[in-house]
Amino acid sequence: MKRLLSLILCLIPFLSGCGSIYSNYRELEQIKVIQTMGLDYIPSGVQLTLSSASGGSGDGNALCLSGTGSSISEAMEQIRNYSCEDDLFFSHINQIIIGEDAARSGIEKYLNFICRSPQIRIDTPLYIVKDKTAKETMGKVGSGTKGVSEILQAVETNENQHNNSKIISTAQVINNLHKYGGALICALEYSEAAENAKDSGEKQDSPDMTAALSGYGIFNGTKLCGYIDSENAVGVDLLLNRMGISDMVVADDKGRPVTLEITDGKSRIVPVWDDSGELRGIDIFAEVSATIMEMEDDGTKSKEEIIDMMISKLESEISSRTGYVLQMSRKLQTDFLGLGGQIELNSPKKFRAMKSEFTEILPALELRISVSGKICHTNDKR
């Protein structure tokens, strides 16, 4: 009988419908799921901004919270202590935005926090916002039904579907900094949303704002040192062999605009060594395919002549934009493209026997670019 009574007493917590064995149980309505984290530099430490998706607050709008501290943990604790929200949940952070001032002052402490935090995935996408703070961008981007979290999620979905996943994760940044001493981070541009356009042309007093991809931020070590704009970003994608579908506008022989849609592209990097085993240059061989999307045809040229002209324009434009990216790498003396890694794979013994670091000799290397273009008239690549 005593054994039976002991067994019944042990089972009471499990049989009762009013209790729970989970001490951290919360009603779903009490949990505010944070999806976007923003980091800004302030003289005293860090400005932290957190945002949920729309519906994260009582009125249905995106929840946006901000706090400061000497460290990210201290700023996060301040938000917890002074927020009116019931419970903030950080394990669903999907995007991290860094303000430009913070990026220029150095992102090492932010990367260390992300690596050590048990609540943030290291593969979370990382962004730099041009000329703005993360707080300003996160607080003003979006409308009542869409916040910065939804906007960035839409950006990532679009890139994954059409552009070979060009979004760069925190893990990729850390890996590139460790291996090459330089890295790229996707840049965001804070601008007016297209939904504000009206047939009447009236200007709204407070238009909706959005954040869109705008090339890449260049890092030498952990500090932002420059940008590659959207126009020249195609050079980055070609050199990294992740070319996606994108539009390019060139001019025909009469100066009229022609829109080409790039459908495919790849490159091959070949190091040039001298007789003493020193690296003297790099040859880049690229192949690019495109289709003509928009063009004025006055009937003065045959189909073959038009194709030959457009191939020439395509090759020239790709060569120019790829050359721009390579010159940025030389000028800033940072291997954000990982060229050194590709050369090491090509000639491992010679690379390891080099007397100087690759970034030290990069500005003096001779760079030669050869582009082979192809014009096709189908959109089968889609």
Side-chain angles (χ1 to χ4, degrees), residues 25 76 112 114 120 166 174 182 195 238 252 261 286 306-307 342 345 381:
Y25 174 81
M76 191 173 286
N112 287 340
I114 296 167
I120 303 176
K166 296 177 186 176
I174 294 171
E195 285 80 358
L238 179 62
D252 66 11
E261 183 182 66
I306 291 174
I307 290 177
Q342 296 188 54
L345 286 174
K381 294 287 183 180

Side-chain angles (χ1 to χ4, degrees), residues 310-329:
M310 287 300 101
I311 288 176
S312 176
K313 296 290 184 180
L314 173 64
E315 291 174 346
S316 176
E317 197 65 32
I318 289 294
S319 179
S320 174
R321 299 187 187 192
T322 305
Y324 174 86
V325 173
L326 291 169
Q327 290 301 328
M328 286 291 288
S329 184

Side-chain angles (χ1 to χ4, degrees), residues 89-147:
F89 187 70
F90 297 104
S91 295
H92 277 289
I93 291 178
N94 296 322
Q95 305 98 13
I96 299 170
I97 301 175
I98 300 177
E100 181 170 295
D101 288 345
R104 291 196 181 277
S105 65
I107 61 172
E108 183 175 7
K109 62 181 177 182
Y110 310 134
L111 297 178
N112 287 340
F113 175 82
I114 296 167
C115 285
R116 293 168 180 165
S117 173
Q119 299 172 311
I120 303 176
R121 303 187 317 275
I122 196 171
D123 63 347
T124 301
L126 195 60
Y127 299 94
I128 303 297
V129 58
K130 284 184 176 180
D131 303 320
K132 300 287 182 182
T133 65
K135 180 182 179 181
E136 181 179 7
T137 302
M138 293 170 63
K140 294 184 178 179
V141 160
S143 62
T145 57
K146 183 179 291 187

Side-chain angles (χ1 to χ4, degrees), residues 33-94:
V33 180
I34 300 301
Q35 295 193 10
T36 306
M37 180 171 75
L39 298 163
D40 288 305
Y41 167 81
I42 56 174
S44 60
V46 179
Q47 173 99 49
L48 176 68
T49 307
L50 304 172
S51 178
S52 71
S54 297
S57 59
D59 58 4
N61 294 327
L63 177 70
C64 196
L65 305 169
S66 183
T68 61
S70 60
S71 65
I72 300 174
S73 299
E74 186 176 306
M76 191 173 286
E77 191 63 26
Q78 184 191 80
I79 291 175
R80 286 185 186 275
N81 292 338
Y82 291 93
S83 169
C84 298
E85 303 302 327
D86 296 319
D87 193 10
L88 302 177
F89 187 70
F90 297 104
S91 295
H92 277 289
I93 291 178
N94 296 322

Side-chain angles (χ1 to χ4, degrees), residues 19 73 124-125 162 175 185 196 199 233 259 266 331 334 336 354 363:
S73 299
T124 301
H162 301 291
N175 181 63
I185 296 181
N196 296 318
D199 293 336
T259 302
K266 60 183 179 180
K331 177 184 175 182
T334 173
F336 56 81
M354 286 169 54

